[in-house]
């Protein structure tokens, strides 16, 4: 990859996944859930001069990137709804480069675009979490590319698209490390469950005691319907944990699973973890939960 291309595609070009399962979908949905807050966090308090900085020579400015995301993701939500309610509809392309030079995309007040992103993504996530396997196989036809796309493919694309443009904003602001948050330290942290889907066994009575050594994270947990549990995983520079867990429930059943936990720094400085998990025994169903540092 050339130097210019590495600036244009700082996380690499989009590569369509060969297989998408339920846990991959929940990871993609989590990206969309967090994206508006991440954009707002990166751009809050920026001056007019900072908003006019391009992420690469000849590239869009910060304000153009933010407005493009609002425009593009509004189109995406609309296309999802078309595919869900019509048989293989043909969508209308739009000229994103031309839209990016319109007056609203070059205005220093990016608050309307941030508010659009917040509303679009809240509605999008509600829609996505209500979709079933059959829904994700529904498709639409893109006349510019002369091909059909399944909603699974488009979900994967917009997971990439969100991370792609977050990286652009960071480059423009001189933060090319691409971390979504500051480093997270889980060592000696205690967490309590705040919510879980019905097929999970962790409850508000479950307490997690975390330890961390370098990139390795472990935890002991118990309480509620769980007699004793352990987890082990690795954490990346953004604080995202990939883990496997096992526990003995009050019915003396051994349950095992895997999970991706994505962190958020709360206003009080504590950590909230958004967890996308899947059982690896039993019915092998998946779900999502939230735990918070106490």
């Amino acid at each position: 990859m050339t130097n210019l291309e590495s600036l244009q595609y700082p996380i690499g070009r989009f590569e369509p996944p060969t297989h998408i399962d339920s846990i991959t979908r929940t990871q993609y949905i989590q990206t969309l859930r967090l994206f508006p807050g991440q954009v707002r966090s990166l751009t809050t308090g920026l001056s007019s001069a900072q908003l006019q900085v391009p992420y690469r020579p000849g590239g869009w400015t910060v304000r153009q990137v933010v407005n493009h995301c609002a425009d593009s993701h509004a189109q995406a939500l609309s296309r999802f709804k078309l595919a869900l309610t019509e048989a293989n509809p043909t969508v209308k392309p739009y000229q994103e480069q031309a839209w990016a030079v319109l007056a609203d995309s070059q205005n220093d007040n990016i608050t309307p675009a941030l508010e659009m992103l917040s509303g679009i993504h809240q509605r999008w996530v509600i829609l996505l979490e209500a979709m079933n396997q059959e829904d994700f196989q529904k498709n639409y036809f893109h006349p510019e590319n002369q091909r059909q796309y399944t909603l699974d493919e488009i979900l994967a694309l917009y997971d990439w698209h969100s991370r792609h443009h977050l990286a652009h904003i960071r480059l423009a602001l001189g933060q090319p490390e691409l971390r979504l948050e500051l480093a997270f330290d889980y060592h000696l942290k205690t967490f309590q469950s705040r919510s879980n889907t019905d097929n999970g066994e962790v409850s508000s009575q479950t307490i997690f005691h975390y330890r961390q050594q370098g990139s390795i994270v472990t935890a002991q947990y118990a309480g509620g319907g769980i007699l004793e549990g352990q987890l082990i995983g690795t954490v990346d520079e953004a604080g995202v944990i990939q883990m496997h867990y096992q526990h003995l429930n009050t019915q003396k059943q051994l349950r095992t699973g895997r999970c991706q936990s994505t962190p958020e720094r709360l206003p009080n400085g504590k950590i909230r973890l958004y967890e996308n998990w899947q059982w690896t025994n039993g019915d092998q169903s998946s779900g999502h939960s939230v735990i918070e540092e106490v």
Side-chain angles (χ1 to χ4, degrees):
M1 186 178 288
T2 65
N3 288 339
L4 184 59
E5 189 176 8
S6 67
L7 293 176
Q8 188 172 3
Y9 298 101
I11 65 169
R13 292 179 180 269
F14 175 64
E15 296 184 4
T18 56
H19 174 71
I20 299 176
D21 58 18
S22 59
I23 198 164
T24 308
R25 289 191 195 100
T26 56
Q27 291 167 2
Y28 293 159
I29 293 169
Q30 187 67 1
T31 296
L32 298 182
R33 189 195 314 275
L34 296 177
F35 179 67
Q38 292 166 342
V39 176
R40 187 179 294 274
S41 177
L42 285 172
T43 57
T44 295
L46 294 183
S47 66
S48 175
Q50 289 173 308
L51 288 170
Q52 295 180 52
V53 174
Y55 70 87
R56 64 174 174 87
W60 286 340
T61 63
V62 172
R63 63 189 180 187
Q64 286 176 302
V65 170
V66 174
N67 278 283
H68 163 72
C69 288
D71 289 337
S72 176
H73 294 200
Q75 294 281 329
L77 176 58
S78 177
R79 290 171 179 179
F80 261 76
K81 292 189 171 190
L82 287 170
L84 289 170
T85 57
E86 301 177 19
N88 190 29
T90 298
V91 298
K92 186 180 186 305
Y94 73 103
Q95 301 300 316
E96 63 177 37
Q97 294 292 342
W99 284 35
V101 297
L102 293 174
D104 61 320
S105 294
Q106 301 206 72
N107 192 288
D108 285 345
N109 181 11
I110 61 172
T111 299
L114 294 173
E115 292 177 349
M116 278 182 65
L117 279 173
S118 179
I120 288 164
H121 280 249
Q122 286 182 47
R123 296 181 66 190
W124 202 357
V125 168
I126 290 170
L127 183 66
L128 290 165
E129 291 185 332
M131 291 169 59
N132 58 34
Q133 171 72 24
E134 183 180 345
D135 289 332
F136 282 102
Q137 301 314 308
K138 292 180 178 179
N139 51 44
Y140 62 72
F141 180 75
H142 197 297
E144 189 174 63
N145 299 335
Q146 285 294 297
R147 60 158 291 190
Q148 292 179 334
Y149 292 90
T150 68
L151 295 184
D152 252 347
E153 291 178 281
I154 299 304
L155 177 59
L157 173 64
Y158 274 87
D159 164 79
W160 172 86
H161 190 261
S162 298
R163 295 181 292 108
H164 171 67
H165 285 302
L166 277 173
H168 284 164
I169 296 171
R170 283 202 171 276
L171 285 172
L173 300 178
Q175 303 174 35
E177 64 275 16
L178 308 182
R179 293 187 302 172
L180 303 184
E181 301 285 348
L182 298 176
F184 290 83
D185 181 7
Y186 298 103
H187 191 54
L188 301 179
K189 296 287 197 301
T190 300
F191 291 83
Q192 184 174 16
S193 176
R194 297 303 187 206
S195 66
N196 199 1
T197 43
D198 291 341
N199 57 331
E201 296 188 347
V202 167
S203 70
S204 60
Q205 296 175 294
T206 310
I207 303 298
F208 297 77
H209 300 282
Y210 272 68
R211 301 289 186 273
Q212 181 176 345
Q213 183 174 3
S215 63
I216 299 174
V217 170
T218 60
Q220 305 287 324
Y221 60 99
I226 296 173
L227 296 176
E228 185 173 353
Q230 303 90 31
L231 64 83
I232 185 168
T234 58
V235 59
D236 66 17
E237 290 185 350
V240 177
I241 306 170
Q242 304 286 350
M243 70 175 76
H244 287 265
Y245 59 87
Q246 61 178 6
H247 64 247
L248 195 65
N249 63 25
T250 51
Q251 286 75 48
K252 303 295 180 65
Q253 298 170 321
L254 180 65
R255 302 302 309 275
T256 62
R258 56 178 177 157
C259 177
Q260 175 178 283
S261 296
T262 303
E264 176 188 10
R265 184 78 65 184
L266 299 175
N268 63 6
K270 293 186 180 295
I271 301 170
R272 174 184 292 154
L273 288 172
Y274 295 92
E275 303 183 314
N276 295 310
W277 52 264
Q278 182 176 26
W279 296 115
T280 53
N281 69 354
D283 64 4
Q284 299 195 13
S285 61
S286 60
H288 53 269
S289 52
V290 177
I291 65 173
E292 287 185 5
E293 182 184 351
V294 294

